[in-house]
Amino acid sequence: MTPDIPVRKQYAFERPSDLGRAAPRTVPIVIVGGGPVGLTIALDLGQRGHDVVVLNQMDILADGSKAICFSKRTLDIYDRLGVGERMIDTGVVWNVGKVFWGGEDDPVFQFDMLPVKNQKNPGFINLQQFYLEEYLLDALEALPNVEVRWKNKVAAVTPGADGVRVDVETPDGVYQLDAEYLLACDGAKSPVRGMMGLDFQGRVFEDNFLVADVKFQQERPSERWFWFDPPFPGASALLHKQPDDVWRLDFQLGWDIDKAEAVKPENVDPFVRGMLGPDIAYEYEWLSVYTFQCRRMERFVHDRVIFLGDSAHLVSPFGARGCNGGVADADNLGWKLDLILRGVAPASLLESFNQEAIATADENILNSTRATDFITPKSEISQMFRDATLELAREHSFVRPFINSGRLSTPVSYADSPLSTPDADAWEGGVKPGAPMVDAPLTGGGWLSESVGQEFTLISFTGDGAPDLGVPALGTDAAPVRSVSIGPDDELTARRYGAAPGAAYLMRPDQYVAARCRAFDGAEAAEALDRATGAAA
């Protein structure tokens, strides 16, 4: 058990079969870290049939909620992995956020995180991180090719030409593994990053925020509420509803504080009582203080060692971009590493992960930095700009989009990805190459997102005499291409994709658009597939 960490569930250490081996065993994938990102990529690769070993230094699931906000794009990913519905069934669904200023009862601004309606998943859910981890572990238990090892601490990492030697410490002794690929998902203080002499670049913000998970019963809407200069302690504040009558409350404390004193209940009470009022009975579930950073590694791919999630990049919590960004890393890497391990794609395909994951991290860092600068002005001029924006927003709608209480996580488009085929002809609307798919209901039942699975998918739009496209010339047994036909009755889907009869979209396994064409051409589609798998490089 780890001191000072609240424990939700403890897992038994089991003696690894590798202890006492005369020579290290070779494993295709070794994942360091059993948080959401490590478990997500383990599930993705495990479902694709690869042998995976997850090394977790601890033997517990921590009880603090930590990450709680999961975006629609993340829910789409977890739908594909089979745990999305369970998350939504437990979580608190929300789409609307409201921004308040001072003691006014009416918000100066509100926004909708699902502006495009009629999609399977909501804009966001709130769900404690330990629930997600439990659901991922339950799904991994059904896979005999994935092993999660508790109290297995990585002591040394030695990269080689064809793999990575890993030294692992356990309560019963030390052993070694040879990994074809090592995925470092070991968090912000990543021991693997330190062992390799690598570091972050970026900015540390001089401010502290109090996080309080507070349990109380009160009827409030399932919305994100943010206060600038609230009428209670804290320079800014945030409220989110979670399952089990638990609420996440954040309060801005300033820079020069005593963190140990700040989390004592008697010192937290004025903040919580000020927000909730005198008549609400409450109890604390978890208290913490955080100082945040917006930083990333220069590269995420280092030959056979690949960094994902907080081990590769850090952002402020405003915008829920941390865990969602890490899950995006896992989603981006899984199918590429699968193709490489099965010999379908060259190892150089990993460079596209490095490029696309860095693009995601940079956009998240940019948005997080801007939000933090607006929330916590660092100069008199910045303070004046922020207050003028909030004042004008009361009466003028054009000003409201400039209010920044955290630009919430949305998927990043890879406009410059080497895997995307540029449009050969003009399109009006639709979904561009390098962008994630947009969901839509299908007239025959179900959703478009459910039709696009773990493989490449050709979506063809039929009707009005358009040919039945099929995919006989695309894909192989090792890398199949799924065919989805959208008929003339699915007008909403066709409108969202700007597609007339005869058009087609080639979707990547992570539900991003690889290419599209106005009139299906088998040769062009084959070239786009080669490009998307790195075979054309």
Side-chain angles (χ1 to χ4, degrees), residues 426-479:
W427 284 72
E428 292 184 9
V431 185
K432 296 180 180 180
M437 72 175 299
V438 177
D439 202 7
L442 300 179
T443 55
W447 301 88
L448 180 62
S449 60
E450 296 171 337
S451 301
V452 180
Q454 305 256 33
E455 315 91 353
F456 281 91
T457 302
L458 185 71
I459 303 176
S460 57
F461 292 84
T462 63
D464 295 338
D468 182 10
L469 303 179
V471 286
L474 290 181
T476 64
D477 290 341

Side-chain angles (χ1 to χ4, degrees), residues 83-287:
V83 297
E85 289 187 7
R86 197 173 177 191
M87 292 173 66
I88 291 176
D89 287 346
T90 306
V92 173
V93 172
W94 66 275
N95 292 314
V96 173
K98 293 179 178 178
V99 177
F100 299 86
W101 188 28
E104 297 182 4
D105 293 333
D106 294 327
V108 295
F109 176 61
Q110 73 178 52
F111 53 86
D112 187 341
M113 288 307 300
L114 194 70
V116 179
K117 303 304 180 184
N118 290 319
Q119 301 193 70
K120 179 180 181 182
N121 288 316
F124 266 88
I125 67 165
N126 289 344
L127 181 75
Q128 293 92 325
Q129 180 174 313
F130 55 71
Y131 276 122
L132 171 59
E133 292 169 336
E134 285 182 357
Y135 300 162
L136 291 169
L137 287 165
D138 288 347
L140 287 169
E141 284 183 4
L143 299 177
N145 53 318
V146 178
E147 184 179 2
V148 180
R149 296 183 176 181
W150 304 95
K151 292 192 75 68
N152 279 241
K153 178 182 178 180
V154 174
V157 170
T158 308
D162 300 319
V164 185
R165 174 69 56 87
V166 187
D167 291 58
V168 187
E169 296 177 350
T170 78
D172 284 357
V174 178
Y175 67 92
Q176 293 181 320
L177 285 174
D178 284 339
E180 293 184 46
Y181 287 92
L182 178 71
L183 310 186
C185 307
D186 50 344
K189 297 179 181 179
S190 174
V192 173
R193 191 179 63 238
M195 293 171 195
M196 295 184 64
L198 302 170
D199 202 358
F200 279 146
Q201 301 174 345
R203 177 180 171 190
V204 178
F205 289 86
E206 294 186 357
D207 216 321
N208 294 288
F209 285 76
L210 169 69
V211 176
D213 279 357
V214 182
K215 189 165 188 174
F216 63 90
Q217 292 185 349
Q218 187 182 37
E219 289 299 321
R220 288 175 178 253
S222 299
E223 299 171 344
R224 178 189 191 263
W225 284 16
F226 187 96
W227 286 265
F228 291 100
D229 302 328
F232 43 81
S236 64
L238 179 66
L239 178 143
H240 275 284
K241 184 178 182 180
Q242 302 180 71
D244 309 323
D245 292 324
V246 176
W247 301 70
R248 163 69 64 82
L249 282 58
D250 289 57
F251 301 93
Q252 182 184 348
L253 300 180
W255 179 240
D256 189 17
I257 66 166
D258 184 325
K259 293 184 179 180
E261 288 293 315
V263 294
K264 290 182 178 179
E266 62 269 24
N267 295 328
V268 177
D269 281 339
F271 292 85
V272 176
R273 180 59 66 199
M275 178 184 283
L276 301 184
D279 300 325
I280 302 297
Y282 61 84
E283 58 186 60
Y284 295 121
E285 295 273 307
W286 185 56
L287 298 172

